[in-house]
Amino acid sequence: MQSTPKGLRLHIGMFGRRNVGKSALLNAFTRQAVSIVSETAGTTTDPVEKAMELRPLGPVLFVDTAGVDDTGALGTLRVQKTMQVVDRADFAILATDDWQDYERRLLKLFQEKNVPVLVALTKSDLRAPAANAALEAAARASGAANVVPCSAVTGAGLDALRQALITSAPDAFLEVPALIGDLVHAGDLVVLVVPVDTEAPKGRLILPQVQTLRDLLDNDAYGMVVKDNELGAALARLRQPPALVVTDSQAFRHVSSVVPPDVPLTSFSILYARFKGDLATLARGARAIDTLRPGDRVLIAEACTHHPSGDDIGRVKIPRWLEKIAGGKLQFTVASGAGDPPDLASYRLIVHCGACVWNRRQMLARLDRARAAGVPITNYGLAIAHCLGILDRALAIFPAADKQVDDATVTRTADV
Ligand SMILES: Nc1nc2c(ncn2[C@@H]2O[C@H](COP(=O)(O)OP(=O)(O)OP(=O)(O)O)[C@@H](O)[C@H]2O)c(=O)[nH]1
Ligand code: SF4
Ligand SMILES: [Mg+2]
């Protein structure tokens, strides 16, 4: 279970003011000493994560945070980190031992973001039953639907908390979106093209490749894995052409020249773009590459700092292609991590990595912020396909996404 990738877990954030008992509640709930508890306000400074199996939901990731009411220069930084956890939370536990403006504002924030929220009325052992009832009534009066009084000391309410979590978890986590399963039929043969070069990790396949194979098997289809330089020979041995070819983006040009035009072809990054985020938005962003002009600012955004070949794709190859299309020098900024640069709106395009360490909600939050700032956003795989002139072919198996892209293109052309 511990090997479930972080991005596929239901992220449950623990939020609230300092000293309300967030960490104590997390420890009691998981029955482990995950987070430090003390009577000093501001004990938790950085987000603390705990992965566990929460049946029948499956793998979850609890994230304990610093209090949202922290003050001073350091406090402000801690609150910023907490707000980044807000962005990736699939589910929020709003912990409190009082009902004040802070709680009302937090509740409203989650409701506006459509994040399911559960109010945990902590330290219930310290209040008389009438006081607990009054607190619960105040929370419900503000619009909280799920309110559970509980105590980390006596264990009261912990089972109710668990039940409330399970029954109100987002549907998407009970029904994971398809990676490739909906694109194939039982008995179909799909060829997966995996370059095994110096950039490939030693001794293993990377996560999107493994997940694609697993999804094919789950859907009773066959997967044939070949190296890019052996693809031609492998296809020649087949009695019928494959139902679909999926390639690593870096081998796109070669693969597209080898695979017959009537055989559908796409890439792992495009499958992942749909699985993790919103393919139509990212495909629209790829088309926006054509609107770049010399001097425009382009943000290369990486979700983490350890992309094995990020230096090559994000920092060298894609910039070179984009400048060729723009017809002159562009201004590139590379940013790693979850935060956006303060001047996001000044960029003409965001090119994002595959975000393999993020969950879907986290990627959707970033897409939302880009949309709010009016900046088109795409990802490495779609950008590469567009630069190589094979985006149409790579999107052909996703008619819905392609239709939206076409609509957007028509609008933009009309605007110009
Ligand atoms: N009686 C009682 N005390 C509790 C309970 N939960 C937490 N406390 C106490 O409240 C204090 C704060 O608990 P924490 O869990 O550290 O609170 P926190 O919200 O994580 O605080 P920050 O680190 O500032 O974010 C500690 O002294 C705990 O022992 C509870 O259910 N009952
Ligand atoms: S794709 Fe993004 S999240 Fe995954 S390793 Fe590369 S930089 Fe990190
Ligand atoms: Mg704490």
Side-chain angles (χ1 to χ4, degrees), residues 19-24 37-39 42-44 123 125-126 151-153:
N19 229 16
V20 295
K22 301 180 293 298
S23 303
V37 170
S38 91
E39 67 277 13
T43 302
T44 308
K123 309 187 189 180
D125 57 295
L126 297 180
S151 165
V153 170

Side-chain angles (χ1 to χ4, degrees), residues 68-88:
V68 286
D69 59 339
D70 214 339
T71 51
L74 261 182
T76 309
L77 284 177
R78 289 179 193 143
V79 174
Q80 272 173 13
K81 284 202 165 166
T82 297
M83 295 321 280
Q84 287 180 2
V85 181
V86 168
D87 266 344
R88 71 172 149 118

Side-chain angles (χ1 to χ4, degrees), residues 11-241:
H11 287 213
I12 304 173
M14 194 71 95
F15 303 98
R17 283 177 293 111
R18 285 170 297 171
N19 229 16
V20 295
K22 301 180 293 298
S23 303
L25 181 59
L26 176 61
N27 292 352
F29 192 79
T30 57
R31 297 204 186 100
Q32 289 182 39
V34 175
S35 220
I36 299 169
V37 170
S38 91
E39 67 277 13
T40 313
T43 302
T44 308
T45 51
D46 280 312
V48 176
E49 299 187 342
K50 171 67 190 166
M52 67 179 282
E53 185 80 9
L54 187 64
R55 293 192 184 282
L57 270 185
V60 301
L61 185 78
F62 281 100
V63 190
D64 189 15
T65 65
V68 286
D69 59 339
D70 214 339
T71 51
L74 261 182
T76 309
L77 284 177
R78 289 179 193 143
V79 174
Q80 272 173 13
K81 284 202 165 166
T82 297
M83 295 321 280
Q84 287 180 2
V85 181
V86 168
D87 266 344
R88 71 172 149 118
D90 299 300
F91 196 103
I93 296 180
L94 167 43
T96 184
D97 57 357
D98 200 348
W99 194 257
Q100 310 175 359
D101 258 356
Y102 266 114
E103 283 73 32
R104 282 187 205 100
R105 282 207 302 268
L106 259 183
L107 179 67
K108 195 155 170 270
L109 174 73
F110 293 124
Q111 287 171 339
E112 282 170 1
K113 284 177 156 291
N114 274 327
V115 176
V117 53
L118 173 61
V119 175
L121 300 175
T122 52
K123 309 187 189 180
S124 64
D125 57 295
L126 297 180
R127 290 183 298 271
N132 269 322
L135 198 51
E136 183 168 342
R140 290 193 188 279
S142 301
N146 261 323
V147 188
V148 181
C150 51
S151 165
V153 170
T154 65
L158 293 184
D159 280 343
L161 193 72
R162 181 189 152 82
Q163 276 312 310
L165 245 171
I166 289 166
T167 50
S168 45
D171 288 344
F173 278 87
L174 301 172
E175 193 188 1
V176 178
L179 183 57
I180 192 170
D182 61 331
L183 303 173
V184 294
H185 300 103
D188 276 354
L189 172 70
V190 177
V191 174
L192 307 181
V193 187
V194 175
V196 179
D197 53 21
T198 50
E199 285 177 1
K202 276 222 168 352
R204 63 179 175 88
L205 296 176
I206 60 172
L207 186 60
Q209 296 161 352
V210 175
Q211 278 179 279
T212 304
L213 261 178
R214 176 60 198 259
D215 204 22
L216 287 175
L217 297 177
D218 284 343
N219 286 278
D220 302 322
Y222 314 133
M224 184 171 96
V225 186
V226 300
K227 291 195 277 190
D228 50 342
N229 53 5
E230 283 161 12
L231 176 63
L235 290 179
R237 291 178 64 167
L238 297 176
R239 264 192 270 156
Q240 287 170 6

